[in-house]
């Protein structure tokens, strides 16, 4: 249960955060860098087999088991890159997954035959084309995907037969739709567009034309979740006329919207729905931890038994289910529990299917707890704090800033957080304004506030925790990736709070350049997202405003040491952005370490990259915050780090303006 303090409160946070335990032994950095033993468990429709994502020799691979998770057999491992997803076709005859190349986010659809030893087949072997799933129809050997082969900005809808590889065009995009939605029958039921004013519109096919059936202005948060397999209605999540996003059902014929279920998510926004057995079973919410709700008796019974097994403070996710709901797989974790997959079987109850990270002993991990704080203007901020075992007050701290920024932290297990806590740092995660899941007021408060009030929120939490004696205000480091990297750079450049150091994962330094460099497939979305929140660089006044909030123009103010990670294949934040910051700092003699991964993109998927990142991070923080660092590092771990440092040295490009 979260406690509450205000920004200026003097309540001792130790009362909220719990008593200190004995100092934990130093857990090897390699143990925090390994991929999960099991990262996914997907039941076949018949319930007789499970496709698992398991780490094999440093890569997440597809492993087949029987319906109880036994008799494992490696089915496919990509030696170059981990596989992040796998799903059964509606018939249960095929497996399919989406994979890019080196993190370039150009995802292709691959089909894998579970009955043979044949390698997977690329179903969309088109250079420069991205495939995205629309739906996997029930009892079918086909999947529906969108492909931007004809027009990079506006994809067409296709049916892909996984057995033959045949592609059948279902809908030719009139060059305005960004997403398609299909029912279980495999027919396209609706499409969405982003208008020039930022409105999101929904359309249904009407003969050879399209009829608009719903319009969400930029101020309305709305997302289509699925097509109801029973009624054919669109299931949407919207905050129209209310503070919280709730589940609604949209009739395609009458255009009427009805509540799908009484709002089950309390003070938080709704998240997603769960479909199984040809109907909507329930859904999920991210409250202070992940939760599930049910409107189906069997599913509800399974949730109740799973919750009884894991306790009320653990996060609980739906993972997969058999077609007849005789077997359901859940996943659970919490801050100090790396996670487990549970299988519920009708008439037999819950048992453990697999452990995500069996080599990490929860005894030596530390809990993550939620606290509600206030920003300087009174906006409630949900903050998660993870204190090191045995820590007294006023120790060094790392403020970990989430990416997005249209996302949120929710207090589950994070390997990075536990590594930092094990090294002696209090980890603080702030759901600043603009974060999702916390209601309209919190989200809309972020409009136009990149580098301003969004950063003020982080400063306010740092100051409040420092004044309360819970962290040492002179030993705070900022850390973040993507938007979190941008906020780290801005936090160091603004100087409103003196931070000791910063760690930046692919954070954009120039907002106008960032938006201009987005892939073509992103362009249609910009009026509803980046233009609204940050600005349109084609407008001179907005461009000037963006320049004022771009770290590239404030780099001369950064005097704190910085650690930067960058993926060479990043399609969002290009390498030039990180190069510019590195060059500016080195020209002024300010300490900066630069690690470049030539086989990664915006996020790092491979184990050797995580090893390099984690080793660099712990040694950097030990130098500047005084925490613990491992001395007996394996040669392979150090070599991985040196390889990325060498890339950063050899491929750094500095312009005259950087010097």
């Amino acid at each position: 249960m979260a406690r509450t303090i205000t920004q200026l409160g003097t309540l001792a946070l130790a009362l909220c955060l719990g008593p200190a335990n004995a100092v934990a032994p130093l857990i090897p950095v390699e143990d925090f860098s390994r991929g999960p033993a099991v990262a996914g468990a997907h039941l076949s429709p018949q319930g007789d087999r499970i496709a698992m994502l398991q780490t094999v020799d440093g890569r997440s691979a597809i492993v087949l088991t029987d319906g109880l998770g036994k008799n494992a057999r490696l089915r496919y491992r990509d030696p170059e890159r981990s596989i992040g997803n796998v799903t059964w076709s509606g018939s249960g005859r095929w497996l399919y997954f989406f994979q890019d190349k080196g993190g370039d986010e150009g995802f292709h659809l691959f089909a894998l035959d579970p009955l043979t030893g044949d390698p997977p087949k690329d179903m969309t072997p088109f250079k420069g084309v991205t495939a995205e799933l629309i739906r996997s129809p029930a009892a079918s050997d086909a999947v529906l995907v969108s492909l931007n082969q004809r027009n990079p900005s506006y994809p067409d809808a296709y049916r892909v037969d996984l057995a033959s590889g045949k592609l059948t065009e279902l809908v030719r995009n009139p060059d305005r739709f960004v997403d398609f939605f299909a029912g279980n029958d495999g027919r396209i039921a609706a499409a969405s567009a982003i208008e020039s004013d930022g409105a999101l519109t929904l359309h249904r096919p009407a003969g050879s034309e399209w009829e608009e059936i719903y319009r969400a202005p930029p101020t309305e948060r709305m997302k289509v979740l699925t097509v109801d397999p029973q009624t054919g209605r669109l299931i949407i999540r919207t905050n129209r006329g209310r503070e919280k996003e709730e589940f609604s059902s949209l009739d395609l014929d009458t255009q009427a919207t009805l509540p799908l279920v009484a709002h089950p998510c309390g003070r938080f926004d709704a998240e997603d729905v769960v479909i199984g057995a040809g109907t909507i079973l329930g859904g999920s919410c991210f409250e202070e931890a992940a939760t599930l709700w049910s409107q189906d008796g069997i599913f509800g019974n399974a949730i109740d038994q799973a919750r009884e097994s894991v306790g009320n403070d653990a996060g609980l996710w739906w993972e997969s289910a058999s077609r007849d709901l005789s077997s359901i797989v859940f996943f659970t974790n919490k801050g100090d529990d790396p996670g487990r997959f549970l299988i519920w079987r009708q008439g037999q109850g819950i048992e453990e299917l697999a452990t995500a990270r069996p080599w990490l002993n929860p005894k030596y991990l530390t809990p993550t707890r939620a606290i509600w704080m206030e920003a300087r203007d009174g906006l409630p901020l949900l903050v998660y704090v993870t204190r090191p075992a045995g820590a007294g007050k006023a120790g060094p701290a790392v403020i970990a800033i989430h990416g997005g920024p249209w996302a949120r932290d929710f207090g589950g297990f994070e390997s990075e957080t536990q590594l930092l806590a094990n090294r002696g740092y209090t980890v603080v995660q702030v759901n600043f304004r603009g974060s999702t899941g916390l209601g309209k007021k919190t989200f809309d408060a972020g409009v136009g506030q990149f580098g301003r009030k969004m950063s003020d929120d982080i400063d306010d939490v740092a100051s409040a925790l420092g004044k309360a004696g819970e962290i040492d205000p002179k030993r705070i480091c900022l850390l973040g990736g993507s938007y979190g990297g941008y906020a780290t750079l801005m936090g160091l450049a603004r100087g409103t709070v003196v931070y000791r150091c910063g760690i930046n994962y692919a954070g954009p330094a120039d907002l106008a350049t960032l938006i201009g460099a987005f892939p073509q497939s992103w362009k249609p979305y910009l009026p509803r997202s980046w233009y609204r929140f940050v600005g349109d660089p084609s407008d001179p006044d907005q461009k000037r405003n963006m320049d004022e909030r771009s770290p590239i123009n404030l780099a001369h103010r950064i005097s704190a040491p910085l650690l930067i990670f960058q993926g060479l294949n990043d399609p969002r934040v290009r390498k030039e952005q990180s190069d510019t910051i590195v060059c500016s700092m080195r020209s002024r003699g300010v300490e900066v370490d630069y690690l470049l991964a030539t086989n990664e993109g915006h996020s790092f998927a491979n184990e050797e990259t995580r090893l390099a990142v984690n080793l660099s991070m712990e040694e950097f923080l030990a130098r500047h915050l005084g925490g613990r660092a491992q001395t007996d590092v394996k040669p392979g771990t150090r070599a991985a780090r040196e390889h990325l440092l060498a890339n950063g040295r050899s491929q750094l490009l500095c312009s005259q303006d950087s010097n």
Side-chain angles (χ1 to χ4, degrees), residues 31-179:
D31 285 355
F32 287 114
S33 306
R34 294 168 63 182
V38 178
H42 303 274
L43 273 164
S44 67
Q46 296 80 8
D48 59 339
R49 291 169 295 171
I50 303 177
M52 289 191 174
L53 291 174
Q54 295 189 10
T55 298
V56 179
D57 297 331
R59 296 287 183 268
S60 180
I62 299 172
V63 173
L64 286 178
T65 74
D66 61 26
L68 297 176
K70 310 296 184 184
N71 303 312
R73 174 172 63 93
L74 176 64
R75 184 57 193 84
Y76 178 67
R77 175 185 180 274
D78 182 345
E80 299 299 323
R81 190 163 182 81
S82 287
I83 297 169
N85 60 92
V86 65
T87 310
W88 292 92
S89 64
S91 65
R93 172 63 184 84
W94 295 89
L95 290 166
Y96 65 89
F97 62 94
F98 292 84
Q99 182 83 327
D100 67 353
K101 186 174 182 180
D104 65 0
E105 298 184 17
F107 289 95
H108 287 206
L109 169 68
F110 291 86
L112 183 64
D113 190 338
L115 302 179
T116 71
D118 297 337
K121 295 179 181 179
D122 188 346
M123 299 284 102
T124 56
F126 312 116
K127 186 176 180 180
V129 173
T130 296
E132 293 188 10
L133 180 67
I134 298 173
R135 187 147 189 165
S136 180
S140 173
D141 286 344
V143 295
L144 309 186
V145 299
S146 62
L147 293 173
N148 61 344
Q149 182 180 17
R150 184 186 55 82
N151 184 330
S153 298
Y154 296 100
D156 302 313
Y158 286 85
R159 180 183 186 273
V160 184
D161 188 283
L162 298 178
S164 67
K166 180 182 178 182
L167 272 73
T168 303
E169 185 179 279
L170 299 177
V171 174
R172 174 68 61 93
N173 199 325
D175 292 345
R176 64 173 307 204
F177 296 140
V178 293
D179 287 300

Side-chain angles (χ1 to χ4, degrees), residues 238-354:
T238 176
N239 62 3
R240 174 170 289 192
R242 50 186 175 256
E243 166 64 17
K244 297 292 183 285
E245 295 173 44
E246 300 183 20
F247 300 104
S248 293
S249 175
L250 171 62
D251 191 298
L252 296 174
D253 295 321
T254 67
Q255 303 178 25
T257 57
L258 297 172
L260 179 67
V261 64
H263 184 52
C265 302
R267 67 187 298 181
F268 299 89
D269 290 329
E271 184 61 25
D272 207 351
V273 292
V274 174
I275 289 181
T279 188
I280 295 174
L281 301 175
S284 61
C285 306
F286 287 137
E287 298 182 356
E288 286 165 2
T291 60
L292 292 169
W293 57 271
S294 171
Q295 60 179 19
D296 173 89
I298 296 176
F299 189 50
N301 184 37
I303 291 173
D304 290 344
Q305 292 186 44
R307 177 58 68 190
E308 184 178 355
S309 171
V310 304
N312 291 326
D313 60 339
L316 186 65
W317 290 261
W318 174 85
E319 182 77 5
S320 60
S322 61
R323 185 183 293 135
D324 62 2
L325 293 187
S326 61
S327 298
I328 299 174
V329 175
F330 297 98
F331 178 72
T332 180
N333 75 9
K334 55 183 177 179
D336 55 353
D337 181 348
R340 295 166 289 142
F341 291 87
L342 308 174
I343 187 166
W344 174 88
R345 288 180 291 156
Q346 198 164 23
Q348 300 181 54
I350 286 280
E351 62 180 286
E352 186 172 297
L353 179 67

Side-chain angles (χ1 to χ4, degrees), residues 190-230:
S192 65
I194 306 294
E195 309 300 334
S196 59
D197 64 356
L200 186 153
T201 56
L202 295 180
H203 307 256
R204 70 166 188 170
S208 60
E209 302 298 324
W210 291 82
E211 177 188 6
E212 182 178 316
I213 59 172
Y214 193 97
R215 178 175 289 256
T219 53
E220 177 185 347
R221 286 274 294 171
M222 195 279 282
K223 180 180 180 180
V224 177
L225 301 176
T226 190
V227 177
D228 189 322
Q230 285 191 319

Side-chain angles (χ1 to χ4, degrees), residues 401-460:
I401 310 167
H402 70 68
W406 305 297
R408 60 157 287 199
D409 288 311
F410 52 86
F413 174 84
E414 294 183 13
S415 184
E416 178 185 84
T417 297
Q418 290 299 324
L419 167 63
L420 295 172
N422 184 257
R423 272 33 180 184
Y425 309 108
T426 294
V427 182
V428 181
Q429 297 167 276
V430 183
N431 284 302
F432 44 84
R433 68 192 66 214
S435 297
T436 58
L438 302 170
K440 181 180 177 65
K441 183 178 179 181
T442 296
F443 182 75
D444 285 349
V447 174
Q449 297 304 319
F450 267 52
R452 291 177 177 157
K453 290 184 179 180
M454 292 167 74
S455 291
D456 289 345
D457 292 344
I458 295 163
D459 288 351
D460 290 349

Side-chain angles (χ1 to χ4, degrees), residues 27-35 357 359-360 415 611 634:
I27 299 172
V29 68
E30 291 83 3
D31 285 355
F32 287 114
S33 306
R34 294 168 63 182
R357 290 176 171 86
W359 53 85
L360 288 178
S415 184
L611 282 166
K634 294 179 180 178

